[in-house]
Amino acid sequence: MSKQQIIWDQSLIEKYNYSGPRYTSYPTALEFHEVFTAAEFDMACTQYPERNLSLYVHIPFCHTLCYYCGCNKVITRHQHKADAYLDALEQEIRQRAYLLRDRNVTQLHWGGGTPTFLTKEQISRLMGLLRQEFQLNDNAEISIEVDPREIELDMLDHLRSEGFNRLSIGVQDFDKTVQKAVNREQDETFIRDMVARAKTLGFRSTNLDLIYGLPHQNGETFAKTLSQVLEMKPGRLSVFNYAHLPSLFAAQRKIKDADLPSPQARLSMLEQTIGTLTSEGYQFIGMDHFALPEDELAVAQREGNLHRNFQGYTTQGDCDLLGLGVSAISMIGDCYAQNQKELKKYYGQVEEQRHALWKGVMLDGDDLLRRDVIKSLICNFYLDKSAIESTYNVEFDTYFAEDLSLLQCFVDDELVEVDAKSIKVTLKGRLLIRNICMCFDTYLRDRARQQQFSRVI
């Protein structure tokens, strides 16, 4: 694939830069409801017993508060709180494993919060429990999110010895003024040492996370951060747009509106980022993600079999996904389910019922069909109509007549090409893939909910 993977069209980006979902699922989490039952979840666990299993474990604790963060987290310096959490997590894991322990686990991811809040002993305890209760494949992809501020370098050795083979390191920005404004000061040299140590230890891949749109950022400072990151040559990069929602996230009230870059400055930073990374050989995977051409995500996208789930882009979206821990989301059988989001409620329910199910949704035939359409477009920028027709026994253009009429404005603007056999997203359209997918979202059409989503760019 050529390095030129998208075309920036300023007028069209401004035209379509309105609110919309990120489509880590369809239907989105807005459709989850508390009527969903534990019995429905258990049934979904037995629906496709031949599927491999992906595990997600949520560790909610952080040592310090990053002002921009909208994640579900608990700020504490008390390490014993993690022991209490692991006690509850153990109960949940043993209960959930009962119906799933025969499955082949090919993927495991720890997110947060800060998973490396846990001590080496606590990490070993949790990994030992997971290996005891589930069948982890010898070649499983095992990844963890790392905060470089609060760990020693030899933690990477311990993680590698416990089987972890992928890292995701939160960088956000190397500029000291920006770091101070968001209460996340960190050492660039240590991050460089971490990336180098990970390569030496044989980690398969290291992902670095950046955020644009933070206070005091501008094109010049962010270009310098990009240059510093590129010197490390990570296999993957995530470059997220900061969503300033102080009414939802109290910590963001510590960030002054006047310090934030303008919408035009944000777009310029994104354009510059895409140009810089693609010129350096990175493949634009979609939305916020980039990968080197030899990375599994890039290969899967070129081959047309990339997937997407609550963890973002993945090569293993054909797995069932089991979420464990507070707020974790599962995608099992034909259902989505989420655990309790508040830690106190999570503890209480696990103690009483040995599971933490809060809400969920069962997918009907139309949901499954539209999910496949949206996933194909958002992952591979291409849809084979005949594949959908043969799988779901529908006549595509008839079934999706209303959707195709909504898509026409994107066709007119040369963002999408539609013919009798396929739908193709053009190089100009790739940045607006969320908008294109929205044409196939019946829930969005039925409800005026767009204000609940972040802007697409």
Side-chain angles (χ1 to χ4, degrees), residues 206-320:
T206 299
N207 176 86
L208 299 185
D209 285 343
L210 302 178
I211 299 178
Y212 68 96
L214 293 174
H216 303 297
Q217 279 180 336
N218 58 51
E220 185 180 340
T221 62
F222 202 61
K224 185 178 178 185
T225 286
L226 281 175
S227 175
Q228 291 164 289
V229 164
L230 284 169
E231 289 175 14
M232 294 181 242
K233 205 72 174 177
R236 297 177 187 176
L237 272 165
S238 302
V239 188
F240 297 107
N241 178 16
Y242 169 58
H244 189 57
L245 300 166
S247 61
L248 286 180
F249 306 113
Q252 293 187 358
R253 294 169 201 159
K254 296 179 180 290
I255 293 175
K256 298 174 184 175
D257 288 6
D259 293 337
L260 294 171
S262 67
Q264 184 55 51
R266 283 173 179 250
L267 283 179
S268 296
M269 276 188 266
L270 177 61
E271 181 180 13
Q272 163 189 290
T273 297
I274 291 167
T276 299
L277 294 180
T278 53
S279 69
E280 289 292 326
Y282 283 85
Q283 184 171 314
F284 177 73
I285 301 299
M287 298 199 291
D288 326 287
H289 290 75
F290 301 80
L292 289 173
E294 63 272 17
D295 186 272
E296 290 175 12
L297 287 185
V299 173
Q301 186 175 64
R302 292 198 300 273
E303 294 177 349
N305 53 24
L306 186 64
H307 296 273
R308 187 163 171 79
N309 61 23
F310 294 106
Q311 292 163 231
Y313 292 101
T314 175
T315 58
Q316 303 198 39
D318 50 353
C319 296
D320 273 344

Side-chain angles (χ1 to χ4, degrees), residues 276-443:
T276 299
L277 294 180
T278 53
S279 69
E280 289 292 326
Y282 283 85
Q283 184 171 314
F284 177 73
I285 301 299
M287 298 199 291
D288 326 287
H289 290 75
F290 301 80
L292 289 173
E294 63 272 17
D295 186 272
E296 290 175 12
L297 287 185
V299 173
Q301 186 175 64
R302 292 198 300 273
E303 294 177 349
N305 53 24
L306 186 64
H307 296 273
R308 187 163 171 79
N309 61 23
F310 294 106
Q311 292 163 231
Y313 292 101
T314 175
T315 58
Q316 303 198 39
D318 50 353
C319 296
D320 273 344
L321 169 64
L322 174 64
L324 298 159
V326 64
S327 79
I329 299 177
S330 299
M331 189 168 73
I332 285 209
D334 293 338
C335 88
Y336 302 131
Q338 184 171 19
N339 279 351
Q340 291 287 351
K341 286 182 79 170
E342 294 178 32
L343 195 55
K344 187 179 288 187
K345 288 184 178 178
Y346 173 82
Y347 284 149
Q349 193 171 317
V350 169
E351 182 66 30
E352 291 172 17
Q353 303 176 37
R354 304 190 73 77
H355 68 77
L357 180 66
W358 173 34
K359 58 183 180 177
V361 62
M362 291 297 302
L363 278 60
D364 62 22
D366 181 69
D367 293 331
L368 296 170
L369 168 53
R370 291 176 182 277
R371 179 172 74 176
D372 272 3
V373 167
I374 288 171
K375 185 168 77 168
S376 182
L377 289 170
I378 207 165
C379 291
N380 304 309
F381 302 121
Y382 178 82
L383 177 88
D384 180 349
K385 291 182 180 180
S386 63
I388 296 293
E389 289 177 333
S390 61
T391 301
Y392 292 97
N393 194 28
V394 296
E395 204 285 314
F396 191 95
D397 289 355
T398 302
Y399 192 94
F400 290 105
E402 185 179 357
D403 312 84
L404 292 170
S405 69
L406 291 171
L407 198 62
Q408 189 59 44
C409 63
F410 296 95
V411 176
D412 296 341
D413 283 333
E414 299 179 347
L415 301 170
V416 179
E417 296 170 355
V418 180
D419 59 30
K421 294 182 178 179
S422 67
I423 299 174
K424 297 176 185 174
V425 181
T426 67
L427 293 175
K428 274 200 297 189
R430 292 188 175 193
L431 271 174
L432 296 163
I433 187 62
R434 287 163 71 180
N435 309 68
I436 292 163
C437 291
M438 285 158 68
C439 296
F440 294 91
D441 186 338
T442 56
Y443 294 95

